[in-house]
Amino acid sequence: MSKFSNDFLWGGAIAANQSEGAWNIDGKGMSVADVSMYKPNIDVKDYSMQWHVGIDDIKKAMQTKDTVYYPKRRGIDFYHRYKEDIKLFAEMGFKTLRISIAWTRIFPNGDEDKPNEYGLKFYEEVFKELKKYSIEPLVTLSHYEMPLYLVNNYDGWVSREVVDMFVKFSKVCFERYKDLVKYWLTFNEIDSIFRHPFITAGIVEEKYSNKKEVEEIIYQALHHQFVASSLATKYAHKIIEDSKVGCMITKLLTYPETCNPLDIYLSQSDNRNNMFYSDVQVFGEYPKHILNYMKRNNINIIMKEGDEEIIRQYTVDFVSFSYYMSMVQSIEADKREKVGGNVATGIKNPYLKTSDWGWQIDPIGLKISLIELYDRYRLPLWIVENGLGAYDKIEENGCIEDNYRIEYLTEHLKQVAEAIEEGVECIGYTSWGCIDIISAATSQMSKRYGFIYVDSDDLGNGTYNRKRKKSFYWYKKVIESNGENL
Ligand code: BG6
């Protein structure tokens, strides 16, 4: 018998900025993603350099219409091909599709009074198309693509005014899609603001004088996102009767290297910090350890009167997260071999294999994470990202034999089944990049996650035709059997 509930939400996930393309048509404004460059000369494992965007980079990007070295501008042309793509998702039996709405399609600069009808219409058509196949949309309001105008004119999320603009955008979406979308996420990987403040919150680090100041303004911007997220949750519940709103974090599970209590304590601190964000959004208050940390380090942020009450009152209905890898902490970290990751760096775990991008593959870590999160929050969990980025090869017979992907996903899904068996309430699984899209960190096209191959290379050459990989047929069977066929 299947461990997955009969209404388990099987599906896949993509984001607007990595898939849609059509970056400057139908009234769309420029977003932070349109400034992200493909940097072939920088090591794909050097994440801080891959993510880095400075003042000159913004200026340069604003002066060009290039789509070769700005791959998120072209995506995989989901904007024009969404019908074909959704048909393929339906063929696999998807029950759900996670997508995001590009804020800049609805409010090109962010501070307009009236939304852009072309943008609203586009997503309405997409949601209707999903409905045609009974695919439930799961929609992220902010997935790495705030309006660039708000960066240049308001300092991104550091500015309080951006809260109101985001809430206005959210309300417009809830009103327009209230009959089409029930499941919403406010911010993708809200914790990522510390790893890449530009793409997550429009913060240009070089505008600030030192590291301490940068840290302080990140806490400020994060506070604004917490308030905005709570207000969006409030309005979703008000406008859409049966809506469910989730928070979304990067699940970063950290193991101690040894049983030395100092290692245990270090890893505990990392895990605790990783859950700070969902703690706020689930429990409705800042954890004491974070408030103490801010005090100790003289980090002063402005919390307006009423903010605490807003955060307390409008908490989330479910917890969602991405999971790709686990990490290891040690008091001897300086002396150990390091590994990379989109999310953080840590030391090598000798028990795990790494992907070509240095991510440590750890299926059991997914079970541990599910149990940990469920025991902590007692709310339904939804794995909204998981998958293997890999180089795919088209064989002479035209097939793409992505057995490594099938193996990765099988091992992770087996652990999800075991966690459910152990009492965890997991309501859905949307594997990341169910169709090949542009990588968030490296802007490569060749880092592929999909069940569906897209004929395009790192410089955008190709027909953009879609092709089913071996994993396409495998996932179809998994869904058909409701996870029994793993
Ligand atoms: C998550 C992001 O951090 O990781 C996605 O939410 C991203 O947008 C995914 O694509 C995988 O990272 P990458 O760099 O391999 O695309």
Side-chain angles (χ1 to χ4, degrees), residues 187-206:
F187 290 88
N188 180 65
E189 296 185 339
I190 193 164
D191 50 289
S192 66
I193 193 167
F194 283 99
R195 297 190 298 275
H196 33 73
F198 177 74
I199 208 84
T200 305
I203 295 169
V204 183
E205 291 173 72
E206 38 177 309

Side-chain angles (χ1 to χ4, degrees), residues 187-378:
F187 290 88
N188 180 65
E189 296 185 339
I190 193 164
D191 50 289
S192 66
I193 193 167
F194 283 99
R195 297 190 298 275
H196 33 73
F198 177 74
I199 208 84
T200 305
I203 295 169
V204 183
E205 291 173 72
E206 38 177 309
K207 283 190 193 166
Y208 304 92
S209 49
N210 54 46
K211 269 193 161 176
K212 150 86 179 55
E213 203 187 334
V214 171
E215 190 183 16
E216 191 165 62
I217 59 107
I218 289 180
Y219 272 102
Q220 182 66 69
L222 174 64
H223 177 70
H224 290 154
Q225 293 195 339
F226 281 143
V227 174
S229 175
S230 298
L231 287 171
T233 306
K234 168 184 167 178
Y235 290 113
H237 288 154
K238 213 166 155 185
I239 297 168
I240 314 172
E241 216 181 295
D242 59 346
S243 61
K244 299 278 176 221
V245 185
C247 56
M248 197 302 196
I249 61 159
T250 324
K251 185 63 196 118
L252 297 173
L253 179 66
T254 304
Y255 301 123
E257 187 190 31
T258 69
C259 53
N260 179 338
L262 286 171
D263 276 353
I264 310 268
Y265 173 66
L266 261 187
S267 66
Q268 184 190 47
S269 301
D270 279 4
N271 288 321
R272 206 174 180 215
N273 286 336
N274 177 228
M275 287 185 286
F276 147 43
Y277 315 84
S278 37
D279 281 357
V280 174
Q281 294 177 292
V282 173
F283 299 137
E285 60 182 16
Y286 277 68
K288 195 83 194 273
H289 69 98
I290 294 292
L291 294 174
N292 288 351
Y293 172 84
M294 286 164 63
K295 214 178 192 171
R296 254 193 341 267
N297 292 281
N298 201 18
I299 294 169
N300 300 302
I301 63 168
I302 302 167
M303 291 201 192
K304 269 182 49 177
E305 209 188 315
D307 281 1
E308 279 172 310
E309 185 53 22
I310 289 169
I311 290 174
R312 196 189 60 74
Q313 244 187 310
Y314 308 109
T315 54
V316 292
D317 305 306
F318 65 94
V319 173
S320 80
F321 64 96
S322 61
Y323 177 84
Y324 292 96
M325 69 192 85
S326 62
M327 285 167 318
V328 180
Q329 259 291 10
S330 164
I331 45 160
E332 305 271 351
D334 292 353
K335 299 179 194 148
R336 302 284 187 269
E337 186 191 338
K338 301 282 184 306
V339 284
N342 66 331
V343 286
T345 48
I347 66 169
K348 173 122 190 67
N349 184 333
Y351 301 98
L352 302 178
K353 286 191 210 145
T354 54
S355 79
D356 289 339
W357 282 260
W359 300 19
Q360 304 201 100
I361 302 169
D362 179 13
I364 297 175
L366 178 54
K367 175 168 72 179
I368 298 170
S369 299
L370 283 161
I371 293 172
E372 187 185 35
L373 289 169
Y374 191 66
D375 283 357
R376 192 174 184 100
Y377 300 128
R378 296 288 156 136

Side-chain angles (χ1 to χ4, degrees), residues 18 143-144 188-189 324 342 359 385 432 439-441 447 449:
Q18 293 166 255
H143 193 133
Y144 299 169
N188 180 65
E189 296 185 339
Y324 292 96
N342 66 331
W359 300 19
E385 284 186 35
W432 180 250
S439 154
K447 188 179 189 189
Y449 288 84

Side-chain angles (χ1 to χ4, degrees), residues 127 136-139 177-184 240 243:
F127 298 143
E136 190 78 53
L138 166 64
V139 178
Y177 308 125
K178 61 177 173 237
D179 298 325
L180 295 165
V181 182
K182 170 178 168 181
Y183 293 106
W184 296 87
I240 314 172
S243 61

Side-chain angles (χ1 to χ4, degrees), residues 12-67:
I14 54 175
N17 77 87
Q18 293 166 255
S19 62
E20 286 175 5
W23 69 291
N24 61 354
I25 67 165
D26 291 342
K28 184 184 172 294
M30 214 168 159
S31 84
V32 288
D34 298 323
V35 172
S36 295
M37 287 195 84
Y38 168 52
K39 300 172 183 165
N41 298 328
I42 292 178
D43 182 359
V44 292
K45 292 179 187 160
D46 186 349
Y47 284 89
S48 58
M49 280 316 289
Q50 288 285 356
W51 280 116
H52 179 79
V53 176
I55 295 173
D56 286 344
D57 300 316
I58 298 176
K59 279 194 196 139
K60 205 169 117 195
M62 288 177 74
Q63 282 161 8
T64 173
K65 288 197 164 36
D66 176 53
T67 57

